[in-house]
Amino acid sequence: HLSLSKSKEKEQTEKGIGNGNNLNRKWYKEWYFLILLILLLLILYFLLSNLFFDENNNLPPKEKVIVPVNPKDIIDTPDSLSKIAADRLNILLTGENKNIQKFAKQFKKVYPDTLYSIVYYDDETNRIQIKIPKEKRDSIKKELPTKMSDFQMLIWHESLFDHNFIPEDPGFRDETKSWFFKEIKAFDAWEVTKGDNNIVIAIIDGGFDLQHPEIKSKIVKPWDVLLHSSNIVSQGENSDHGTHVACLAAGSINNNEGLSGIAPNCKIMPIKVSDDNGVITTTAIIDGIMYAINHGADVVNMSLGMYFNPLLSNLPEDIQQEIIDNAYADEEEFWNRLFKLVDDKNIPFVLASGNQDILIGIDPMERSKYPIKVSAIDINEKKARFSNYGEKSDLSAPGVKIYSAISNNRFEFFDGTSMAAPIVAGGIALLKSIKPEISPKEIKSILQSTGKQPYSYDKHIGNIIQLSDALGFTKSGKIPEVDCNEIQHKIDSLNEIINKLKKKCGHETSVDTMIIPDNPEDLSFTMGRWKSTMPVADDKGKPVQLYFDFYDTGDGVLTLVTESNMNCTADLKLSLNNNELDINQIQNAQCSDHKHQFLKYRFKCIADN
């Protein structure tokens, strides 16, 4: 009986319905493998997270995709000079460690909060843009190099850019529409070339009407930077500026529409850098430049510049110079690196100098020696009242009452250095049409040395381009080595020495005297700067020196210099009646402190009296 029970027990156990110990062992064995599998999966997950999530998933899914700026996030900088996007900072990795993936991993460790993120990166130029809480912007800019000391970096704000043009009033539409072609000797230049259709001028701007008949047949490789699309769609005013600029550089000729561009046989590469709200940022500009130089541009024109507070023009020049010397250091270094990259590719870069009547160089991208900075003149070859100026002005071109295409098959007069720049860019395209290998440095030297000096005695601007003369130099292969800014420095230094010497000798030195010739045919004898010998005093009895700058056009500028060296200026109109020179002050002379002024006067010069 006992043996039978054990036999049955064994049989039942073998069938799995007897002793529960083996069943428990089987259950534990299955769960052991399941738990082990879960642990292995967790380990694998964390390993993959370190390899991919921390490094790659902390980056945006696609490279070079710009996140548009919300207009609500646009603020003034603390110094109130410019406008920036408050919620982001730009970073350039400059040291040996330029690994953006490793930067992203460490950035997330330092700033784990979801309010901090990387919203843009570019492996080609080692750039990163971070999105941050607005109120932390300045503190993060200061602390980031210390907290992430494995990386050397430049850090700067996402600045906003503006079009360097001023819409013209309708009253000027009766002016001659093609005056600027004659001013720069474009018609004579066309006897040599109207351009080569293999030469491409990249126009970096806010928007374009690519269906305008002036530029429709000229387009190659168009690009919308924000949308990463070759389909540029712009509407209304957002497309006026870019269309006007593109047509000035290389608009069509002999098509019975408006005027043509300076290089009518060359091509246009339009690059749109504004978002749907018309906002243009630093990052979009940089991506536009990289697209141009990587896609075959022979010349690049950018009629855009940083937005600055209009009150900046009220600051004395020495304060403006302090800003140039001390502000925006990281931006300055970055722009210089970028423009050197453009120069290394043998591509001339033309930059509008701006329209606020301030020193060129307050905008940090204007401090680099590589781009050609262009100031504007008016129809009288005088510095346009709005044009920026200073020792960094390389060249000048017409920028007042400039007629060109705008959207919807229309044409309009615009003012601005925005117009002067593409006129120069078109001229450079003509030079490259006959000598494609010519360098940007050679181009600048030729245009400066063959240029015409403008009437701008108190505020220096570069020479006015003279294209037929420049083409003659280019064709002959004789490239002059000229640094016009350095020459201007020498002239200013010599003038300073002369004035010191004159002070030492008092009135004993001989002076040039204006001579009114008998029966003069015109006012050419008046040209130059003259100093009045008549003693004049202000309302407090303190001496004031009068200087007269006369032009061959029958007008001029009066400059009054007070005992405290304050300058006050007003425009003049000249007339000659019976050998008497009448000089009429057109308006009150406004002083540089913007508080004082001198009333209008009429002056008369009589021979020997």
Side-chain angles (χ1 to χ4, degrees):
H1 177 75
L2 182 61
S3 296
L4 178 62
S5 296
K6 286 183 177 179
S7 176
K8 285 184 176 181
E9 181 182 338
K10 182 179 179 182
E11 182 182 351
Q12 289 170 343
T13 301
E14 288 172 352
K15 291 180 180 179
I17 58 174
N19 190 334
N21 290 333
N22 283 340
L23 182 61
N24 289 338
R25 288 192 198 100
K26 185 176 181 181
W27 182 83
Y28 281 126
K29 190 175 182 181
E30 289 173 350
W31 274 103
Y32 171 78
F33 282 113
L34 182 62
I35 292 169
L36 183 62
L37 180 62
I38 291 171
L39 287 173
L40 286 172
L41 288 172
L42 286 171
I43 292 169
L44 183 63
Y45 170 77
F46 284 112
L47 285 174
L48 290 175
S49 293
N50 283 330
L51 286 173
F52 296 106
F53 179 79
D54 280 346
E55 292 188 356
N56 291 336
N57 288 4
N58 285 330
L59 294 173
K62 289 185 178 181
E63 187 181 3
K64 298 182 183 178
V65 176
I66 298 171
V67 177
V69 173
N70 188 330
K72 294 180 180 178
D73 295 328
I74 296 173
I75 63 167
D76 290 330
T77 51
D79 55 18
S80 298
L81 293 179
S82 59
K83 290 188 181 294
I84 59 172
D87 64 340
R88 60 195 73 187
L89 288 171
N90 289 311
I91 299 168
L92 174 73
L93 301 181
T94 60
E96 292 183 3
N97 187 359
K98 296 184 176 72
N99 190 310
I100 290 178
Q101 285 72 30
K102 288 182 179 179
F103 180 94
K105 178 180 178 181
Q106 189 171 334
F107 178 78
K108 203 58 189 173
K109 287 181 179 178
V110 175
Y111 300 100
D113 196 300
T114 55
L115 294 174
Y116 301 81
S117 62
I118 294 174
V119 293
Y120 172 94
Y121 72 102
D122 178 1
D123 274 319
E124 186 177 6
T125 56
N126 308 309
R127 282 185 298 129
I128 302 153
Q129 187 174 94
I130 57 174
K131 191 174 175 66
I132 52 176
K134 300 175 194 176
E135 65 278 6
K136 299 283 187 180
R137 182 187 64 261
D138 292 329
S139 61
I140 291 170
K141 187 174 186 286
K142 186 177 181 180
E143 72 188 21
L144 198 59
T146 303
K147 288 192 173 183
M148 297 185 65
S149 57
D150 291 344
F151 300 88
Q152 290 180 313
M153 63 188 84
L154 300 176
I155 308 174
W156 69 95
H157 296 298
E158 180 74 333
S159 300
L160 300 190
F161 282 63
D162 197 11
H163 301 102
N164 282 327
F165 87 112
I166 304 169
E168 187 55 280
D169 295 331
F172 292 104
R173 294 182 185 178
D174 293 333
E175 294 289 328
T176 304
K177 296 175 181 178
S178 60
W179 72 271
F180 57 94
F181 285 85
K182 184 178 180 181
E183 175 62 41
I184 64 170
K185 296 187 177 179
F187 297 126
D188 295 333
W190 285 352
E191 296 296 323
V192 179
T193 182
K194 291 185 178 70
D196 185 323
N197 62 12
N198 292 314
I199 298 296
V200 177
I201 307 172
I203 306 293
I204 298 173
D205 217 290
F208 306 86
D209 178 1
L210 298 190
Q211 298 305 309
H212 198 291
E214 283 291 272
I215 59 175
K216 185 176 181 180
S217 62
K218 315 298 294 296
I219 305 302
V220 294
K221 299 180 181 177
W223 191 245
D224 187 320
V225 167
L226 277 86
L227 298 181
H228 282 228
S229 170
S230 60
N231 183 28
I232 293 180
V233 179
S234 304
Q235 296 179 346
E237 293 182 0
N238 285 344
S239 63
D240 284 348
H241 185 268
T243 308
H244 201 277
V245 170
C247 180
L248 282 172
S252 296
I253 196 169
N254 295 328
N255 65 344
N256 296 317
E257 294 282 350
L259 295 174
S260 77
I262 302 301
N265 289 350
C266 294
K267 298 293 186 182
I268 298 167
M269 180 190 293
I271 302 174
K272 179 176 179 285
V273 291
S274 69
D275 62 20
D276 291 341
N277 295 313
V279 175
I280 302 173
T281 64
T282 303
T283 304
I285 293 288
I286 296 167
D287 281 6
I289 294 172
M290 294 304 299
Y291 179 85
I293 67 175
N294 289 332
H295 289 82
D298 297 289
V299 185
V300 180
N301 181 88
M302 193 166 83
S303 293
L304 304 169
M306 274 180 63
Y307 169 85
F308 287 106
N309 191 319
L311 294 177
L312 191 62
S313 60
N314 295 335
L315 296 178
E317 284 187 12
D318 57 339
I319 302 299
Q320 294 183 36
Q321 188 61 50
E322 284 185 22
I323 295 170
I324 295 172
D325 294 338
N326 300 306
Y328 308 111
D330 282 357
E331 291 97 320
E332 176 182 349
E333 183 175 343
F334 171 77
W335 284 113
N336 193 56
R337 286 169 179 250
L338 182 61
F339 286 134
K340 185 180 186 305
L341 177 65
V342 179
D343 191 79
D344 288 344
K345 291 179 177 287
N346 208 41
I347 302 171
F349 194 103
V350 183
L351 189 61
S353 68
N355 303 325
Q356 294 182 274
D357 193 28
I358 58 177
L359 289 177
I360 298 171
I362 291 178
D363 185 336
M365 71 177 176
E366 295 173 347
R367 299 173 194 171
S368 173
K369 67 179 182 180
Y370 297 109
I372 297 172
K373 280 85 70 179
V374 181
S375 297
I377 61 160
D378 62 19
I379 199 168
N380 295 316
E381 297 183 347
K382 294 165 58 178
K383 184 189 90 69
R385 55 181 173 74
F386 52 77
S387 178
N388 291 354
Y389 62 94
E391 63 180 33
K392 296 184 185 301
S393 174
D394 295 310
L395 293 167
S396 297
V400 177
K401 304 169 191 171
I402 305 299
Y403 190 72
S404 186
I406 61 172
S407 61
N408 298 322
N409 297 351
R410 295 174 297 151
F411 294 82
E412 185 59 274
F413 290 97
F414 281 174
D415 285 2
T417 57
S418 272
M419 289 57 255
I423 290 173
V424 172
I428 291 172
L430 295 182
L431 269 60
K432 295 212 71 164
S433 294
I434 62 172
K435 192 172 183 181
E437 72 279 7
I438 190 171
S439 72
K441 183 179 179 181
E442 291 171 333
I443 287 169
K444 186 187 290 188
S445 290
I446 289 173
L447 291 173
Q448 287 180 334
S449 62
T450 59
K452 184 178 183 180
Q453 186 176 359
Y455 295 119
S456 180
Y457 297 107
D458 55 337
K459 296 180 178 180
H460 169 73
I461 58 175
N463 284 349
I464 307 165
I465 61 168
Q466 303 291 288
L467 292 184
S468 62
D469 300 333
L471 281 172
F473 258 100
T474 307
K475 203 172 180 182
S476 69
K478 297 177 181 178
I479 309 299
E481 286 289 338
V482 177
D483 186 341
C484 287
N485 288 333
E486 181 61 29
I487 290 172
Q488 185 64 41
H489 280 307
K490 290 179 180 178
I491 292 171
D492 293 342
S493 298
L494 288 171
N495 282 331
E496 189 175 345
I497 293 170
I498 290 168
N499 288 331
K500 286 180 180 178
L501 290 173
K502 284 182 176 179
K503 287 180 180 178
K504 283 184 178 181
C505 298
H507 295 288
E508 295 176 10
T509 56
S510 60
V511 295
D512 287 336
T513 304
M514 180 186 289
I515 296 174
I516 302 178
D518 293 332
N519 303 315
E521 295 181 358
D522 54 35
L523 291 166
S524 58
F525 70 90
T526 67
M527 285 180 60
R529 163 160 279 204
W530 303 94
K531 183 171 73 171
S532 173
T533 56
M534 178 74 71
V536 180
D538 64 13
D539 56 357
K540 295 181 181 178
K542 294 182 178 180
V544 177
Q545 183 62 62
L546 304 184
Y547 293 91
F548 297 89
D549 289 299
F550 295 139
Y551 314 129
D552 62 353
T553 52
D555 55 3
V557 173
L558 168 68
T559 303
L560 303 97
V561 182
T562 67
E563 192 176 47
S564 62
N565 283 325
M566 179 173 66
N567 284 14
C568 312
T569 60
D571 291 333
L572 301 171
K573 198 68 181 175
L574 283 69
S575 63
L576 192 64
N577 300 303
N578 298 322
N579 283 8
E580 294 182 358
L581 184 64
D582 283 325
I583 308 167
N584 288 308
Q585 184 179 332
I586 297 173
Q587 71 273 103
N588 290 354
Q590 302 298 321
C591 298
S592 54
D593 66 354
H594 296 278
K595 295 178 181 178
H596 297 88
Q597 60 181 355
F598 283 84
L599 299 180
K600 288 194 297 183
Y601 279 87
R602 179 182 176 191
F603 306 90
K604 181 177 287 191
C605 292
I606 304 173
D608 302 321
N609 198 345

